Amino acid sequence: MAETPQSNSTFLHPTFFILTGIPGLRGAQTWLTLVFGPMFLLALLGNGALLAVVWTDSVLHQPMFLLLVTLATTDLGLATSVAPGLLAVLWLGPQPVPYAACLVQMFFVHALTAMESGVLLAMACDRAVAVGRPLHYPILVTKARIGYAALALALKAVAIVVPFPLLVARFEHFRAKTIGHAYCAHMAVVELVVGNTRANNLYGLALSLAVSGVDILGITGSYGLIVHAVLQLPTREARAKAFGTCSSHICVILAFYVPGLFSYLTHRFGRHTVPKPVHILLSNIYLLLPPALNPLIYGVRTKQIRGRLLETFIFRKSQF
C-alpha cells in the first residue's frame, strides 16, 4: 500500500515518488481524460502544423513568425512535459515516478512556463515596434535579433529555475512518497520535506512575482505604446487595421495569464476556501490550455498562416 502524507515515518532519499493525480475525485478522474486527452492531442497537432507551415514557406521566415515558432516550440515542450504523466495517472491510477525524473519534470515545467511568459513579452514588444515605428521595423527587428532574444529567454528561464530542483535535492528526509498532485510541482514536493523549507517558499514566491510581474508590466507598457500610436492614426479604418494586427496576441495573452493568475491566487490565498482538487485541476488547465489554444488562435486570426493551411488542405484534397 502506498504511503500517505500523514504517515509518521520518514524516508531517506526515496528512489521514487507516487503521483496520485487529483485527490478526492477517485473514479471521476478517468473521465477527465476526455478533457485533457483532446487538449494534448490538439497541442501536438496544432503546434506541429504551425511549425511545419512556417518551416516550409520561406515567405513566413520573418521576425513575427519566428517568434511564433518559438512560442509553438515552447508549447510543445510544456504539453509534453505534463500531459503523458497526467493522462497515465488519470486513466491508470497512482503512478510511481523515479526521484530523479521528478526533479527533471519539475525543472522543465517551471522553466518552460517562464519561457512562455518571456516569449509573450517579446511578442508584445515586437507588435509595439510594428505599430509605433512601422518604417523602422525592418531595421529594428531582424531575424538575427529574434534569434538572440530567444536564446536569452531560454538562458534566463534555465538560470532562474535551476534552483528549484537543487533546493529540493538538498533535503535527505521526506515525510512520505505520495505526492498529492498530477505532476512534480515544486511546492507539492516541498510539502513532503522534513526540514526547514523557508528558502524554498521564499524563492518560489519571489520567482512567481518577479517573472510574471515583470513580464506583465512589460506587456502592459508595450500595449500602452500601441494604444498611443493607434490613436494618432487619422482614420477609423487605419486604427482598426492596427488593432487587428495585435488581436491574436491579445487572445494568447489572456489564454495564458488569466488561468495562471487564477491558479496562483487560489494556491496562495484560497487554500482554506478553494478545495485542493479544484486547485490541482486549475493548475493542469493552466499548463495545457494555452498550448492547445495558441495554434488555433494564430491559425484562425493570422491571414498568412490561415491561407497557407487552406492551400495545403485543398491541395491534398485535390489529390484524392
Side-chain angles (χ1 to χ4, degrees), residues 175-298:
R175 294 186 181 89
K177 296 179 181 178
T178 302
I179 300 175
H181 213 293
Y183 62 91
C184 292
H186 173 246
M187 292 310 300
V189 178
V190 169
E191 289 177 356
L192 305 182
V193 167
V194 176
N196 187 348
T197 60
R198 183 178 178 84
N200 298 70
N201 296 330
L202 289 177
Y203 189 76
L205 177 61
L207 187 61
S208 297
L209 293 176
V211 173
S212 298
V214 170
D215 290 346
I216 289 174
L217 285 176
I219 291 171
T220 302
S222 297
Y223 273 94
L225 295 174
I226 290 172
V227 171
H228 176 73
V230 168
L231 293 179
Q232 306 301 314
L233 296 176
T235 64
R236 179 179 298 179
E237 291 76 12
R239 291 193 290 270
K241 183 178 180 180
F243 272 127
T245 63
C246 304
S247 60
S248 298
H249 186 242
I250 293 173
C251 293
V252 168
I253 289 173
L254 293 176
F256 180 75
Y257 282 111
V258 171
L261 183 61
F262 194 65
S263 176
Y264 174 81
L265 291 175
T266 56
H267 176 72
R268 291 291 175 183
F269 307 108
R271 288 189 175 187
H272 302 295
T273 56
V274 179
K276 188 172 183 179
V278 174
H279 166 65
I280 297 176
L281 189 62
L282 286 173
S283 66
N284 283 280
I285 290 175
Y286 162 58
L287 294 177
L288 290 177
L289 184 63
L293 288 183
N294 290 349
L296 286 180
I297 293 171
Y298 277 104

Side-chain angles (χ1 to χ4, degrees), residues 6-185:
Q6 288 76 26
S7 174
N8 292 323
S9 59
T10 61
F11 301 91
L12 178 63
H13 279 308
T15 56
F16 66 91
F17 287 113
I18 298 175
L19 293 172
T20 60
I22 305 177
L25 296 185
R26 298 181 182 179
Q29 286 194 134
T30 304
W31 293 102
L32 288 176
T33 57
L34 299 177
V35 176
F36 291 113
M39 288 173 66
F40 180 45
L41 184 62
L42 190 58
L44 291 180
L45 295 178
N47 288 291
L50 195 152
L51 288 173
V53 165
V54 177
W55 178 267
T56 57
D57 192 345
S58 59
V59 177
L60 300 180
H61 293 178
Q62 303 172 24
M64 182 182 75
F65 296 107
L66 295 180
L67 280 172
L68 188 53
V69 164
T70 306
L71 180 65
T73 304
T74 305
D75 282 338
L76 276 176
L78 189 58
T80 305
S81 297
V82 176
L86 169 64
L87 294 175
V89 170
L90 294 179
W91 186 256
L92 302 174
Q95 296 292 306
V97 55
Y99 177 78
C102 187
L103 296 183
V104 170
Q105 184 188 45
M106 180 190 302
F107 167 76
F108 276 105
V109 168
H110 292 291
L112 289 168
T113 302
M115 178 73 180
E116 178 135 351
S117 182
V119 173
L120 292 179
L121 172 58
M123 296 175 80
C125 295
D126 171 78
R127 291 299 85 201
V129 176
V131 174
R133 304 283 296 276
L135 297 179
H136 297 88
Y137 180 82
I139 301 173
L140 296 174
V141 183
T142 63
K143 289 189 287 186
R145 288 179 177 175
I146 293 299
Y148 293 139
L151 179 60
L153 289 173
L155 292 176
K156 183 199 76 170
V158 170
I160 64 178
V161 174
V162 159
F164 273 159
L166 294 181
L167 285 171
V168 172
R170 68 194 173 101
F171 292 105
E172 296 183 351
H173 294 85
F174 294 81
R175 294 186 181 89
K177 296 179 181 178
T178 302
I179 300 175
H181 213 293
Y183 62 91
C184 292

